[in-house]
């Protein structure tokens, strides 16, 4: 041991410099730090640890001890799921060899290659993977900011916000008005707001059948539009009033104190107001200096950022091309990234990037629909290859089978993410 | 006779209401029709072999997970070790909801809810068991599905390591542990069955849009790689 060390020090000035560095690194074992234990980050951390079998130290930084999935959180609003069914702990991840640190990442030093933590201290990395999800664009909806999120919840990060929205729904007066301010593109989960409208309508139909739903939308069309509109007409006739961009749906302001929503100059009193503002990459991506505008541009082949070859961005925070911002997409991107990172650090085989996505939505009991596509990496972007979508007018059996499939997917992806 | 009732109280609870529900002697001819749902995975009759599931000749009196040359789920192996044997009553419980009896079984089957359907299919299976005796052997009810796949494609030797990477696209929905919660298990299939199934999706002979899309993008080598990986996956 001592002989080794002496040889080491006397033979190489570079080696001496390494030894003198303040960080303690396990000798020779490269470090991967993953920020964010959601659909993208948890998958990446678990896959790198699983496949490298100790050849890479993998640390996951995630402040919460339980991850509540946004996926299926609309089903919670509709009464199809309990909140506890949506919560997943990090025990399986730790058992799989990932070092789980429950803290916030608050800074990235790209020269020193360290990530600093809110609780103090910092972690060295050879490769840094950021999958922090989304934050909201300040001032996106006039009259709304984060201090108004109790009066007018977004419920676009699952957990307490979803519970709050559900409680407000339950205490709506009979015949009251539920309003949603839908977000502009691009945003997390394109069909998400409309699945939510469906689930809210399902709840109201049972508990408050004379209530109304107003949706103010800055878009002229939206994901699975024909399917949702068919479903709303079939199941919730006359309940949903969708106001698209053509009718001023993008020209909105809210007053959380007075509980009013103004659409194109017309003021409406509302009982519940679900404001889903414009989105951007989770703040840490910005702090790492890898964003351009609201998102972090990445290379399709391995999800490395255009700004820094040793920093990767996955999932919602990335700007990658044609894939929608979904949990399925984040999980798919994470596996491509994990394979590339492992190859770069240990020389293991790197295979060509391949991506896929399928998003299921529930419109009413047993009425499930889906949209999906596969993608490939081109030099410019992740590009769509092939896709499909559920058809209008499908039989109840097909819709029921689609719904059951989404249940299977939920178990599949959460197991794949968390171990 | 000890039939493994002791290995789990919850199983006993599931079992008791059912044993009284159905006419114990079902109609084998009606059962043969119901067996169509089983035959993609289970052969029975003369010359029957293990496919995706074990063959079902002589199932009566056999311990669960009883064949050494078939790879069962851990759950079913545990049940077998704890004394579960297949008889009309245990088959009845299993067929109602396979996972109520062995939660981790890879048998991707929702179960037969109608007690009479179960009695009928059990009566049909009795034909192929010596116990009870005097049962004629018949032609296998399940054969390798007809296919026109190029033998060269079937002969490809898959690169399991590549398959492991590609499997990431599958495991977003299909559980690597073989569990089935609405999306069928794809682990420990015979490679040939896996290759045939994937090519049937690719050629749009099987009808699922997600699978047609996924398989449509996989080359012959990639399908072989996935088959090799999933056939030998560690549980
Ligand atoms: C209502 C709704 C319904 C949806 N339905 C579906 C669906 O059916 N199917 C589907 O595929 N997708 C669905 N989605 C989308 C899906 O939830 C997201 O696309 C997915 O979660 C994105 O994964 P991610 O890894 O980018 O971010 P997330 O899963 O949000 O994970 C980000 C994690 O990073 C952590 N984090 C953030 N900043 C820091 C920091 N500085 N330090 C440490 N940790 C940090 C957060 O705590 C969080 O756990 C839905 C979303 C919503 C809102």
């Amino acid at each position: 041991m001592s002989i080794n060390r002496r040889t080491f020090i006397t033979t190489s000035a570079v080696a001496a410099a390494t030894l003198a560095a303040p960080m303690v690194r396990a000798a020779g074992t490269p470090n991967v730090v993953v920020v964010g234990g959601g659909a993208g980050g948890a998958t990446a951390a678990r896959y790198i640890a699983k496949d490298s079998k100790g050849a890479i130290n993998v640390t996951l930084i995630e402040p919460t001890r339980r991850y509540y999935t946004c996926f299926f959180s609309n089903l919670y609003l509709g009464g199809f799921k309990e909140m506890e069914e949506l919560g997943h702990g990090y025990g399986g991840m730790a058992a799989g060899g990932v070092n789980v640190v429950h803290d916030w990442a608050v800074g990235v030093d790209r020269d020193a290659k360290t990530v600093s933590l809110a609780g103090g201290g910092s972690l060295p990395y050879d490769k840094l993977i950021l999958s922090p999800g989304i934050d909201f664009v300040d001032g996106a909806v006039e009259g709304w900011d984060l201090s108004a999120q109790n009066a007018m919840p977004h419920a676009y990060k699952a957990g307490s916000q979803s519970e709050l929205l559900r409680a407000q729904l339950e205490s709506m007066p009979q015949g009251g008005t539920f309003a949603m301010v839908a977000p502009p593109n691009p945003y997390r989960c394109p069909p998400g707001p409309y699945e939510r409208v469906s689930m809210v309508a399902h709840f109201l139909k049972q508990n408050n059948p004379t209530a109304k739903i107003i949706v103010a939308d800055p878009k002229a069309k939206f994901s699975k539009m024909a399917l949702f509109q068919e479903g709303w007409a079939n199941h919730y006739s006359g309940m949903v009033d969708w106001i698209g961009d053509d009718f001023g749906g993008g020209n909105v302001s809210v007053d959380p104190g007075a509980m009013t929503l103004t659409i194109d100059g017309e003021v409406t009193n509302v009982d519940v107001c679900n404001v889903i503002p414009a989105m951007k990459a989770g703040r840490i991506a910005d702090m790492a200096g890898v964003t351009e505008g609201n998102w972090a541009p990445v290379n399709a082949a391995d999800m490395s950022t255009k700004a820094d070859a040793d920093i990767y961005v996955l999932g919602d925070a990335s700007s990658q091309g044609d894939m929608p911002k979904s949990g399925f997409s984040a999980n798919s991107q994470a596996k491509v990234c994990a394979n590339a990172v492992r190859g770069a650090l240990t020389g293991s085989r790197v295979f060509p990037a391949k991506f896929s996505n399928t998003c299921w939505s529930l419109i009413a009991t047993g009425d499930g629909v889906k949209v999906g596509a596969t993608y490939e990496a081109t030099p410019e972007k992740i590009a769509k290859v092939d896709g499909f979508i559920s058809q209008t007018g499908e039989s109840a059996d097909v819709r029921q089978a689609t719904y059951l499939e989404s249940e299977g997917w939920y178990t599949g992806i959460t197991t794949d993410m968390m171990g | 006779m000890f039939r493994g009732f002791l290995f789990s109280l919850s199983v006993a609870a599931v079992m008791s209401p059912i044993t009284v529900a159905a006419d114990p002697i079902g109609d084998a001819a009606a059962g043969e029709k119901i067996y169509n749902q089983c035959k993609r995975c289970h052969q029975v009759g003369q010359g029957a072999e293990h496919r995706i599931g074990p063959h079902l000749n002589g199932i009566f009196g056999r311990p669960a997970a009883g064949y050494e040359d078939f790879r069962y789920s851990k759950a079913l192996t545990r049940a077998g070790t704890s004394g579960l044997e297949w008889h009309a009553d245990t088959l009845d419980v299993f067929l109602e909801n396979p996972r109520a009896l062995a939660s981790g079984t890879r048998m991707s089957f929702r179960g037969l809810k109608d007690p009479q359907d179960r009695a009928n299919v059990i009566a049909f299976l009795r034909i192929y068991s010596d116990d009870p005796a005097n049962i004629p052997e018949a032609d296998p009810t399940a054969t390798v599905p007809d296919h026109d796949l190029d033998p060269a494609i079937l002969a490809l030797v898959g690169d399991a390591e590549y398959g492991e990477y590609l499997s990431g696209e599958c495991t977003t929905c299909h559980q690597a542990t073989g569990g089935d919660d609405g999306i069928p298990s794809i682990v420990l299939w015979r490679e040939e069955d896996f290759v045939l199934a994937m090519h049937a999706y690719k050629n749009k002979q099987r009808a699922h849009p997600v699978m047609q899309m996924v398989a449509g993008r996989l080359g012959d080598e990639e399908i072989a790689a996935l088959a090799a990986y999933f056939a030998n996956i560690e549980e």
Side-chain angles (χ1 to χ4, degrees), chain A residues 35-41 61-63 67 70-71 73-74 103-105 131-133 156 188-189 196 284 314-316 325-328 330 359-360 409:
Chain A
V35 175
I61 308 173
E62 165 60 53
Y67 175 75
C70 279
F71 25 108
S73 66
N74 288 328
D103 205 341
W104 288 95
S131 193
Y156 234 63
R188 153 177 287 185
C189 194
R196 176 168 299 170
I284 191 73
L314 305 177
D316 293 353
K325 298 184 185 300
S326 75
F328 199 125
C359 282
W360 286 265
W409 163 77

Side-chain angles (χ1 to χ4, degrees), chain A residues 47 51 328 331 335 339 349 351-356 370 373-375 386 388 405 408-409 411-413 416, chain B residues 110 159 161-162 164-166 168-169 171-175 177 181-183 208-210 213-214 217-218 222:
Chain A
Y47 268 69
D51 294 339
F328 199 125
N331 171 270
K335 291 169 196 170
N339 180 251
R349 288 169 74 187
F351 300 104
K354 224 178 172 97
F355 306 92
S356 53
K370 62 187 169 187
T374 59
Y375 305 85
D386 191 14
F388 69 87
E405 203 175 273
W409 163 77
T411 316
I413 189 171
D416 199 38
Chain B
R110 294 204 160 274
D159 172 351
E161 197 182 343
Y162 186 28
E164 178 168 14
Y165 166 71
L166 292 171
E169 193 170 1
T171 53
T172 306
C173 299
H174 299 274
Q175 295 169 51
T177 47
D181 293 88
I183 291 197
H208 196 274
V210 179
M213 179 183 76
V214 170
R217 279 196 62 206
L218 294 170
E222 291 173 322

Side-chain angles (χ1 to χ4, degrees), chain A residues 24 27 66 97 127 157 162 180 196 224 263 371 377-379 383 394 404 406 414:
Chain A
V24 185
R66 239 175 133 61
K127 297 284 188 187
K157 297 183 181 187
S162 325
M180 171 188 283
R196 176 168 299 170
K224 302 183 195 165
I263 305 174
V371 58
T378 68
E394 282 172 340
L404 291 175
S406 74
T414 49

